[in-house]
Amino acid sequence: MAQDPERNDQGQPKAIPRFLELRSSKGFILATVCVAIFTDAFLYGVVVPVLPFSLRERSGVPEDQVQWWNSFIFAVFGGAILIGSPICGWVADRTSERSISFYTGLIILGAATILFGFAKASWVLVISRLLQGLSAAITYTVGLALLVDTVGRDNVGQWMGTALSSSSFGLIISPLLGGIVYARSGYMTVFAMALGLIVFDIVMRLIMIEKKKAAQYKPAIGTANGFYGTFTQEQPSEQEPQNDSTQANKRQDNSQEAPLLSNEPHKTVPKKSKMPTILVLLGTPRLLAAIYGIFVNVSVLCAFDGVLPLHVKSLFGWNSLEAGLIFLCLAIPAMTGPLVGRLCDKFGPRWIAVAGCSLTAPPLILLRLVDHDSLEQKILLCGLLVCCGFTLILIVSPVAADLSAVVEERERADPNAFGPGGAYAQAFALFNCSMAAATLFAPVVAGAIIERHGWGAMTAAMGVFAFSGAIPAFFYTGGWIFAKDS
């Protein structure tokens, strides 16, 4: 029997929303998740070239304290994500609609941005970044889980690469735009630009309809494309009576394109393991390799956010416009994320992740050569940053796609591991925690190394750190390397 359409308080079927199939399509859901992730990343990075100048000019922070406040404000953002992500993941795996959490994150983001726009005191900026971090915790955790709910298993690498490349692109392009706008029009214009992006994000999220909700109006949407397999069961349509043979054929056909959360119908719901889901996930070396890989990637990017504008300001005498433009060298390579995701789907994630970590180390170490003001030094800086951009994007897609594969294999080995709610949101919460720890760790540590030992020591330390990500990726990404099926 087909699932009944959603009804109103009088028991009458509700009208089908306009453009239902478009609003619940894979492409539109992917676009909405990408916009949401890009918005959060953009709001994180747009203040990178602005803060060192606005803290002095707008907040009255003494020049010798600007580096500390600059690093601390970025660290607060990461701390909020680190605390909020596990909670968001736990809630998301126990709610029937991801969009509710999505809207909550959007409200928090809007409040944080308005607060940031009118803030003058440095402590108000800290509160604003705290709220932005909580919003990012919701957006990344719920958005990536929603994406896994929606797409097919065979294409998860490509789609995840697209979504996370929007994060990398936002992190990198936002300092460029922030520097240009701040230099030309001032602080409030930067705020207006951020607010305009939030309005667009609001529109996208309000238009989007999850497949689970769409199937309440048209069950064929759910049975054809899949949705929340851990919460619902596939139902045949009333217009298509099916015998056992046709149902078996349909299940076989759908297994090729079903999303990672879809399960076969079952008569009883398995009991969840007594061990907390987070601990079950953390006991998986393959998952630990994935979250360490993204930790390395985001740490390098956030280290640049925390120290590069100040370095080019002191070394070359650049203003906020020129300090923002230098991030274009990292932004252009980030657009190759979908291509990298496609390569992961075709060749597997292991060697792409290993190559990304290994090849990022040399240009990072060579950045120590940029130590005086000349045209050749500026060209060298730009060239090395472009190399870093192309190698860093090789890390993101493999580890993100591998994360969803870890949950799927764990559930296949032990159906009782996570219970009926699944664990995709909590897995991506750990992924998000790793990113948050990087935003907390990198600016502070990179700034401290520069203050004590100089620019050259910082770049060398980041190069060695980037290479360390290749070790767990070699052994565990894509599965234990010495396993028989590897």
Side-chain angles (χ1 to χ4, degrees):
M1 183 176 181
Q3 182 178 345
D4 290 335
E6 193 175 72
R7 295 176 179 273
N8 58 24
D9 294 337
Q10 288 74 35
Q12 300 297 323
K14 288 186 177 180
I16 297 177
R18 293 184 177 181
F19 311 111
L20 177 64
E21 294 186 4
L22 173 64
R23 293 166 64 184
S24 62
S25 65
K26 288 182 180 180
F28 191 82
I29 291 175
L30 172 67
T32 303
V33 172
C34 286
V35 168
I37 290 176
F38 175 83
T39 300
D40 268 302
F42 185 90
L43 293 178
Y44 169 84
V46 73
V47 299
V48 167
V50 175
L51 269 181
F53 301 92
S54 67
L55 282 171
R56 182 75 184 91
E57 300 167 2
R58 184 179 171 90
S59 302
V61 175
E63 185 68 33
D64 60 347
Q65 297 181 22
V66 169
Q67 176 68 70
W68 186 90
W69 275 104
N70 189 60
S71 299
F72 179 69
I73 289 173
F74 281 104
V76 165
F77 179 89
I81 300 177
L82 193 63
I83 295 172
S85 292
I87 300 173
C88 295
W90 185 87
V91 172
D93 278 333
R94 284 158 177 78
T95 55
S96 58
E97 293 186 19
R98 310 274 196 206
S99 55
I100 296 175
S101 301
F102 230 26
Y103 297 148
T104 303
L106 192 60
I107 293 171
I108 296 174
L109 180 61
T113 304
I114 292 174
L115 187 63
F116 184 84
F118 294 99
K120 289 188 177 180
S122 53
W123 65 267
V124 180
L125 291 173
V126 171
I127 295 175
S128 170
R129 296 299 273 181
L130 179 69
L131 293 176
Q132 285 183 0
L134 292 175
S135 170
I138 297 173
T139 298
Y140 280 87
T141 299
V142 178
L144 294 177
L146 177 62
L147 189 64
V148 175
D149 290 347
T150 305
V151 306
R153 178 182 297 108
D154 294 337
N155 299 317
V156 68
Q158 178 183 348
W159 289 62
M160 197 66 69
T162 302
L164 289 175
S165 66
S166 69
S167 173
S168 297
F169 188 69
L171 283 172
I172 298 167
I173 197 68
S174 51
L176 165 66
L177 295 178
I180 293 174
V181 173
Y182 181 76
R184 295 291 177 85
S185 304
Y187 185 90
M188 291 305 295
T189 309
V190 175
F191 162 68
M193 177 175 62
L195 198 60
L197 183 59
I198 289 177
V199 171
F200 182 70
D201 189 11
I202 290 173
V203 173
M204 292 288 287
R205 295 198 206 190
L206 291 177
I207 292 176
M208 184 197 77
I209 299 177
E210 291 181 69
K211 288 193 177 296
K212 180 178 187 297
K213 188 173 181 62
Q216 295 176 351
Y217 301 97
K218 288 187 177 182
I221 293 178
T223 59
N225 297 318
F227 58 91
Y228 278 138
T230 53
F231 288 106
T232 58
Q233 298 178 4
E234 188 175 310
Q235 305 276 359
S237 173
E238 282 183 344
Q239 287 75 19
E240 289 186 59
Q242 297 177 355
N243 55 32
D244 292 341
S245 175
T246 56
Q247 287 179 356
N249 290 337
K250 185 175 182 180
R251 285 195 297 268
Q252 185 176 359
D253 292 339
N254 285 346
S255 66
Q256 302 299 323
E257 294 295 333
L260 293 179
L261 281 180
S262 61
N263 295 323
E264 292 292 334
H266 47 271
K267 295 180 180 180
T268 60
V269 177
K271 290 185 178 180
K272 179 181 177 293
S273 172
K274 291 183 179 180
M275 184 178 293
T277 298
I278 291 290
L279 295 181
V280 174
L281 293 172
L282 287 174
T284 308
R286 185 174 174 185
L287 181 137
L288 295 177
I291 62 177
Y292 184 70
I294 197 64
F295 178 76
V296 169
N297 176 273
V298 178
S299 291
V300 174
L301 290 176
C302 291
F304 284 137
D305 288 343
V307 302
L308 189 57
L310 289 172
H311 181 67
V312 296
K313 175 187 174 184
S314 62
L315 186 64
F316 302 141
W318 286 358
N319 58 25
S320 63
L321 171 61
E322 294 162 323
L325 285 172
I326 194 63
F327 284 90
L328 191 61
C329 299
L330 293 166
I332 294 176
M335 299 176 69
T336 61
L339 174 61
V340 176
R342 214 171 207 186
L343 293 175
C344 292
D345 288 332
K346 186 173 183 180
F347 299 108
R350 185 191 313 277
W351 299 112
I352 296 176
V354 170
C357 294
S358 302
L359 296 177
T360 299
L364 282 175
I365 295 173
L366 290 174
L367 279 170
R368 65 187 289 110
L369 300 177
V370 181
D371 57 3
H372 62 275
D373 186 8
S374 69
L375 178 61
E376 292 77 9
Q377 291 282 289
K378 294 172 184 176
I379 294 174
L380 177 61
L381 175 64
C382 292
L384 292 173
L385 289 177
V386 169
C387 292
C388 288
F390 277 114
T391 57
L392 284 170
I393 201 64
L394 295 175
I395 304 173
V396 179
S397 298
V399 297
D402 207 43
L403 194 72
S404 58
V406 170
V407 178
E408 181 192 2
E409 289 190 1
R410 188 72 175 83
E411 287 183 327
R412 188 187 302 126
D414 180 9
N416 299 333
F418 306 124
Y424 284 92
Q426 290 178 82
F428 282 108
L430 291 174
F431 188 80
N432 208 20
C433 283
S434 180
M435 297 175 67
T439 64
L440 185 65
F441 159 83
V444 174
V445 172
I449 293 176
I450 282 184
E451 287 187 348
R452 293 187 180 184
H453 305 288
W455 168 259
M458 191 279 297
T459 61
M462 292 305 295
V464 174
F465 175 66
F467 182 78
S468 72
I471 299 172
F474 174 78
F475 286 106
Y476 291 109
T477 299
W480 175 237
I481 191 170
F482 298 115
K484 293 181 180 180
D485 58 347
S486 294

